[in-house]
Amino acid sequence: MLESVSFDQLRMFVASADEGSFSAAARRVRRTQSAVSEAILSLEAQLGVVLFDRAGRYPRLTKEGVVLLADARAVITGVDAMKARAKGIAGGLEAELTAVLDVFLPIEVIAEAAREFRIQFPATPLRLYVEALGGAVQPVLDGRASFGVVGSLPTLPTGLIKERLFDVKLMMVAAASHPLASYRGIIPKEELARHVQLVLTDRSTLTEGRNIGVMSPSTWRLADLFAKHAFLVSGLGFGGMPLHTVARDIAEGRLAELSIEEAPPGGLPLPMFAVYREGEPPGPAGRWIIEHLKKCSEGVAAKEGPRAC
């Protein structure tokens, strides 16, 4: 009966296949050889399949045994992962870590943090959302995310705690072929108002009725930063972009920095904050990511913003 297959039987099956003999498997699982042999025989009877060919000096997996060995390994791995996760939960570790990240956060920083996170917390699944403006805050307010990293929303709602991480340079740019790119000197607001501005749209309602960073009455709104980048390069308008996303385009002549009022040359520093609900700080895994991101401030390059840290 398949219902009576035990976890010990599967462990002994895998150990026998890995070690190449029942005696070596017995030493590995700290059982007697007779106990291992009996467990394998019982498993074969329950499955209705011969797992090992015992004709030679050492047992060899049958074709059926090779196929079922992969299933046995998967079961053992799953149970071990469940045990590790349960142990972490009992100690306060999140069963799953969900975070929402501002689209202005450099992707290299996210990838590096995720790589290190997998090493530090192998049993904790990671779920990340990338949003702009209020979209990077709403999941935190709703309780769908443990914490968020926010930069593009200038004013935070009440009920949130924030911790400063690092700055990202925000630069106003346009295609090298755009009329604004050839303007000499500081571009006045009246001139900007004559051109289409490409702006990110907010998928939440937190900025409803507000025009954040809008300098022209003529706007095209996009919900994706990569789409905005493509539109800028195509000369469809001007707009603000994180410096790390356009530095290469500027260097290679596809985009040009625009000199505008109230914006220093080289980009405006935009603070990035980790935010979470009052009285509900992130658990150990979330706290680890926040502290890891804080280290990025140590590697901020003057012209390119934070890199992988």
Side-chain angles (χ1 to χ4, degrees), residues 23 119 168 185 212 255 264 287:
S23 58
I119 296 172
V168 169
I212 298 173
L255 292 176
R287 171 49 55 185

Side-chain angles (χ1 to χ4, degrees), residues 103-116:
V103 70
F104 285 177
L105 187 66
I107 193 64
E108 295 83 4
V109 172
I110 300 173
E112 174 66 13
R115 187 183 71 82
E116 293 294 331

Side-chain angles (χ1 to χ4, degrees), residues 159-203:
L160 294 177
I161 301 294
K162 66 178 182 179
E163 298 182 29
R164 186 160 184 164
L165 300 176
F166 51 79
D167 291 349
V168 169
K169 290 289 186 69
L170 185 67
M171 179 179 288
M172 198 65 67
V173 297
S177 60
H178 194 280
L180 288 174
S182 59
Y183 195 96
R184 294 185 178 182
I186 303 296
I187 305 173
K189 295 179 180 178
E190 294 77 13
E191 180 63 25
L192 291 174
R194 295 172 55 191
H195 300 273
V196 172
Q197 182 177 359
L198 304 176
V199 298
L200 288 175
T201 188
D202 192 345
R203 285 191 271 229

Side-chain angles (χ1 to χ4, degrees), residues 107-160:
I107 193 64
E108 295 83 4
V109 172
I110 300 173
E112 174 66 13
R115 187 183 71 82
E116 293 294 331
F117 179 88
R118 184 175 62 179
I119 296 172
Q120 295 292 327
F121 303 94
T124 303
L126 183 62
R127 186 186 300 269
L128 298 178
Y129 297 96
V130 179
E131 293 285 351
L133 299 167
V137 176
Q138 194 66 61
V140 179
L141 292 172
D142 295 344
R144 291 180 285 129
S146 174
F147 72 95
V149 175
V150 184
S152 57
L153 187 67
T155 305
L156 292 175
T158 59
L160 294 177

Side-chain angles (χ1 to χ4, degrees), residues 55-287:
R57 180 177 180 183
Y58 297 104
R60 296 178 58 185
L61 282 170
T62 61
K63 292 180 180 179
E64 296 81 2
V66 171
V67 173
L68 292 175
L69 177 63
D71 292 333
R73 290 190 194 280
V75 171
I76 291 171
T77 299
V79 172
D80 286 344
M82 183 183 70
K83 289 180 178 179
R85 191 172 301 167
K87 182 178 180 181
I89 293 172
L93 184 65
E94 300 94 324
E96 178 182 80
L97 179 61
T98 300
V100 56
L101 308 175
D102 197 296
V103 70
F104 285 177
L105 187 66
I107 193 64
E108 295 83 4
V109 172
I110 300 173
E112 174 66 13
R115 187 183 71 82
E116 293 294 331
F117 179 88
R118 184 175 62 179
I119 296 172
Q120 295 292 327
F121 303 94
T124 303
L126 183 62
R127 186 186 300 269
L128 298 178
Y129 297 96
V130 179
E131 293 285 351
L133 299 167
V137 176
Q138 194 66 61
V140 179
L141 292 172
D142 295 344
R144 291 180 285 129
S146 174
F147 72 95
V149 175
V150 184
S152 57
L153 187 67
T155 305
L156 292 175
T158 59
L160 294 177
I161 301 294
K162 66 178 182 179
E163 298 182 29
R164 186 160 184 164
L165 300 176
F166 51 79
D167 291 349
V168 169
K169 290 289 186 69
L170 185 67
M171 179 179 288
M172 198 65 67
V173 297
S177 60
H178 194 280
L180 288 174
S182 59
Y183 195 96
R184 294 185 178 182
I186 303 296
I187 305 173
K189 295 179 180 178
E190 294 77 13
E191 180 63 25
L192 291 174
R194 295 172 55 191
H195 300 273
V196 172
Q197 182 177 359
L198 304 176
V199 298
L200 288 175
T201 188
D202 192 345
R203 285 191 271 229
S204 78
T205 59
L206 293 180
T207 60
E208 196 170 32
R210 299 163 59 192
N211 287 317
I212 298 173
V214 175
M215 303 176 181
S216 172
S218 178
T219 60
W220 286 14
R221 298 182 180 271
L222 303 99
D224 181 83
L225 188 67
F226 296 102
K228 182 179 179 181
H229 176 266
F231 277 40
L232 285 167
V233 172
S234 296
L236 297 175
F238 74 95
M241 290 288 286
L243 177 55
H244 61 269
T245 65
V246 296
R248 184 172 180 177
D249 296 293
I250 294 173
E252 296 178 358
R254 288 183 293 274
L255 292 176
E257 178 183 1
L258 303 182
S259 298
I260 64 172
E261 298 175 4
E262 302 176 358
L268 180 70
L270 182 68
M272 305 293 289
F273 295 94
V275 299
Y276 49 87
R277 295 179 300 280
E278 288 182 357
E280 299 182 55
R287 171 49 55 185

